[in-house]
């Protein structure tokens, strides 16, 4: 049986919008908020520089476990129905709120460097339930949900250096069949934009993340078959990104932003015909394999590539 991978990608629109909050203190600081506080995203004390590891972030999250979840947000998101028990929804919110409250994450990672948080025994077991091929993706059968797939030039190897996708099906007016998905997955990645409006579990993730961080969020889902040496070419995104690995494994390489090019949007490199070559990027700052339950943060403008050169496929959000 072919094992697919699924990944949920959560996008923050914080680069465009100031923190939306009527509270006197910031639930999660934007750049404006840090400046208002007199904080800095680059200047830190020697003591803090010695300990801003992922383990320090996880300790911050554990220390913030006394933060009470917003019960109305959790229940209105129907997490008790989605996960069959309310505690999993509360665990998700506690983790997200703890991360949003982590001084280590805010001072050393936000808009500065990528972060990998590996799954630990007894932690984040709510992540795989966010999105799976069965049952979540299979609900697409006979619906009008549609997505995108990598263009044939990427699938057949004609071109591998720019982001290019085409619609999952050629006739948008007809219902989507599971056969459309199976055929699209034969040669490469498929994805669904604004997936929080399509699957209740992903809508709940958006609501909880917005409540925890105070920023508007959007979620996309990517599904890739095994053995793809380059499932997505090098590119940058305009948004801050959290990646939740929900099924299978996927290798990620994240790079520091390359020198700017005149007339080229640095937050849209590798797209719309632009080519972002590996020669421009140098060595990756992260070269890792995401497994179910892992979370990765990629700041705005940091180039990244993915592959599933392994026996299992991948899905992430």
């Amino acid at each position: 049986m072919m094992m697919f991978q699924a990944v949920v990608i959560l996008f923050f629109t914080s680069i465009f919008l100031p923190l939306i909050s009527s509270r006197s203190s910031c639930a999660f600081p934007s750049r404006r908020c840090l400046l208002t506080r007199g904080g800095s995203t680059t200047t830190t004390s020697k003591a803090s520089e010695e300990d801003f590891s992922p383990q320090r972030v996880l300790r911050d999250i554990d220390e913030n476990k006394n933060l009470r979840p917003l019960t109305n947000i959790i229940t209105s998101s129907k997490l008790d129905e989605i996960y069959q028990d309310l505690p999993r929804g509360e665990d998700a919110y506690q983790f997200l709120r703890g991360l949003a409250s982590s001084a280590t994450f805010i001072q050393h990672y936000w808009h500065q460097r990528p972060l990998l948080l590996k799954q630990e025994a007894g932690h984040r077991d709510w992540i795989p339930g966010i999105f799976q091929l069965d049952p979540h993706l299979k609900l697409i059968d006979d619906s009008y949900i549609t997505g995108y797939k990598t263009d044939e030039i990427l699938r057949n190897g004609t071109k591998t250096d720019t982001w290019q996708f085409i619609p999952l099906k050629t006739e948008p007016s007809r219902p989507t069949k599971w056969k459309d998905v199976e055929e699209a997955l034969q040669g490469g990645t498929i994805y669904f934009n604004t997936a929080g409006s399509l699957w209740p579990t992903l809508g709940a993730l958006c609501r909880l993340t917005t409540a925890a961080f105070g920023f508007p969020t959007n979620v996309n889902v990517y599904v890739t078959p095994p053995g793809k040496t380059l499932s997505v070419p090098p590119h940058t995104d305009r948004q801050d990104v959290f990646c939740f690995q929900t099924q299978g494994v996927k290798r990620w390489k994240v790079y520091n932003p390359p020198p700017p090019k005149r007339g080229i949007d640095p937050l849209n490199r590798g797209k719309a015909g632009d080519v972002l070559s590996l020669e421009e990027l140098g060595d990756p700052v992260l070269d890792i394999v995401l497994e179910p339950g892992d979370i990765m943060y990629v700041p705005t403008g940091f180039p990244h590539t993915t592959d599933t050169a392994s026996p299992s496929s991948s899905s992430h959000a």
Side-chain angles (χ1 to χ4, degrees), residues 16 36-37 40 58 84 128 130 167 226 258 264 271 288 299 306 310:
F16 302 111
T36 302
R37 288 179 174 177
S40 169
L58 290 172
Q84 304 303 316
I130 294 172
I264 302 296
K271 302 175 183 177
I288 49 91
T306 63
S310 67

Side-chain angles (χ1 to χ4, degrees), residues 12 25 37 107 116 129 138 141 172 248 254 282 314:
F12 284 107
S25 61
R37 288 179 174 177
Q107 295 172 13
L116 170 65
K138 287 193 173 182
D141 189 38
V254 184
S314 167

Side-chain angles (χ1 to χ4, degrees), residues 198-210:
L198 304 175
W199 283 276
T201 49
L202 301 177
L205 178 64
C206 282
R207 288 176 61 85
L208 291 181
T209 306
T210 296

Side-chain angles (χ1 to χ4, degrees), residues 78-122:
K78 297 186 178 179
L79 283 178
D80 51 339
E81 296 177 18
I82 292 166
Y83 294 116
Q84 304 303 316
D85 63 329
L86 192 57
R88 286 200 183 189
E90 292 179 344
D91 287 346
Y93 179 79
Q94 290 284 7
F95 175 84
L96 294 167
R97 188 69 182 87
L99 181 60
S101 303
S102 166
T104 307
F105 176 69
I106 294 168
Q107 295 172 13
H108 298 286
Y109 290 96
W110 181 246
H111 288 160
Q112 296 180 71
R113 55 175 61 85
L115 171 67
L116 170 65
L117 296 176
K118 296 292 291 182
Q119 166 71 297
E120 295 181 340

